Amino acid sequence: MRLDKYICDCTGLTRSQAGKVIRQKLVTINGELVKQAALQVNSGDKVVMDGQPLAIIGLRYLILHKPAGFLCANDDPDHPIVFSLLDEPLVERLHTVGRLDLDTTGLLLLTDDGKWSHRISSPKHHIAKTYRVWTADPIGADAASQFAEGVMLRGEKDPTLPAELEIVAECEALLTIHEGRYHQVKRMFAAIGNKVEQLHREKIGGLQLPADLAEGEYRALTADELALLQG
């Protein structure tokens, strides 16, 4: 691989920026100062730029505590996007695993591994997602049985898959669904005559939103956390 491309893949710099760094004599390969952008970097070579060893960025698996008011989009003229919360090189390579609405908070996964995100977000894999829901009106005693049987959403041909509802308080519940239809949780409560006032995703598969991850903060998933999403 050309040296300038290698630097781009490690840092997110453009090709012209990488060339400028090389011309400024800030790059060494195996301890030797290099000046040619076209120089080939071989496997096992140690490349250092401005005193910092470089390594090609591999696949990333991130967990973010999404705040309200941020869109799961690459760009928007009216609202901030979740990617603005990330301090990552080559952030444009990342995508969200599914989406949370503008006003929905909680657990959001981001990655540059398309196969991994498809497996988690694809309805056919039925990976559970648990939400804490606050409603405008008291939740009826029969809501759990209605959701367990599946409800018809407006404009849909098939009822929702069986879902588990745990009523926590008069207007608060935990809802676990196994698919990901558009605005599904809000539409499910609308189907039984209620309105979602606030929505927070707490869990995907066996992965719980870490208690020590504040709103707006993110970090890489650990190996143990990744294993929780294998189901």
Side-chain angles (χ1 to χ4, degrees):
M1 183 186 298
R2 282 175 55 111
L3 176 59
D4 53 358
K5 185 177 187 307
Y6 181 86
I7 292 173
C8 293
D9 288 351
C10 293
T11 64
L13 294 177
T14 65
R15 187 71 69 91
S16 61
Q17 289 171 331
K20 182 178 180 180
V21 170
I22 295 167
R23 291 193 298 275
Q24 290 175 333
K25 301 179 181 180
L26 295 175
V27 180
T28 63
I29 298 179
N30 301 325
E32 297 291 330
L33 184 67
V34 292
K35 303 176 184 177
Q36 296 82 32
L39 197 67
Q40 291 295 305
V41 177
N42 300 310
S43 176
D45 284 343
K46 182 179 180 181
V47 182
V48 176
M49 185 182 78
D50 199 18
Q52 297 296 319
L54 300 184
I56 291 179
I57 298 167
L59 294 174
R60 290 167 287 180
Y61 306 92
L62 308 176
I63 181 171
L64 168 72
H65 187 163
K66 180 190 174 295
F70 284 78
L71 276 179
C72 294
N74 295 105
D75 188 36
D76 188 86
D78 301 316
H79 303 283
I81 59 174
V82 292
F83 298 100
S84 67
L85 298 168
L86 307 181
D87 182 17
E88 290 285 317
L90 300 173
V91 70
E92 67 275 6
R93 293 185 182 178
L94 294 165
H95 61 270
T96 61
V97 182
R99 292 171 179 261
L100 291 178
D101 297 340
L102 177 69
D103 57 350
T104 301
T105 61
L107 197 167
L108 182 66
L109 300 174
L110 304 102
T111 187
D112 41 17
D113 185 342
K115 290 183 179 179
W116 184 77
S117 64
H118 176 73
R119 186 182 58 76
I120 292 172
S121 58
S122 173
K124 71 178 183 180
H125 290 104
H126 299 171
I127 292 182
K129 300 171 183 68
T130 300
Y131 296 82
R132 188 171 294 272
V133 187
W134 291 267
T135 58
D137 301 314
I139 301 168
D142 60 344
S145 60
Q146 288 179 280
F147 286 165
E149 294 172 3
V151 295
M152 285 299 302
L153 304 181
R154 185 175 181 180
E156 299 276 358
K157 295 181 179 179
D158 300 308
T160 58
L161 294 178
E164 297 83 52
L165 183 73
E166 177 189 344
I167 298 176
V168 176
E170 188 177 56
C171 295
E172 180 182 351
L174 290 171
L175 176 64
T176 299
I177 61 175
H178 303 270
E179 51 188 333
R181 304 190 196 187
Y182 180 70
H183 289 172
Q184 181 172 341
V185 174
K186 293 178 180 178
R187 293 167 69 203
M188 286 177 70
F189 276 91
I192 62 170
N194 210 332
K195 180 183 178 182
V196 173
E197 294 283 351
Q198 189 177 347
L199 189 59
H200 177 83
R201 184 157 66 189
E202 294 194 346
K203 195 173 181 181
I204 297 178
L207 177 65
Q208 186 90 25
L209 180 67
D212 61 352
L213 195 64
E215 279 198 4
E217 290 185 347
Y218 80 98
R219 62 168 171 78
L221 289 169
T222 67
D224 287 343
E225 288 171 333
L226 281 168
L228 295 172
L229 294 165
Q230 295 304 312

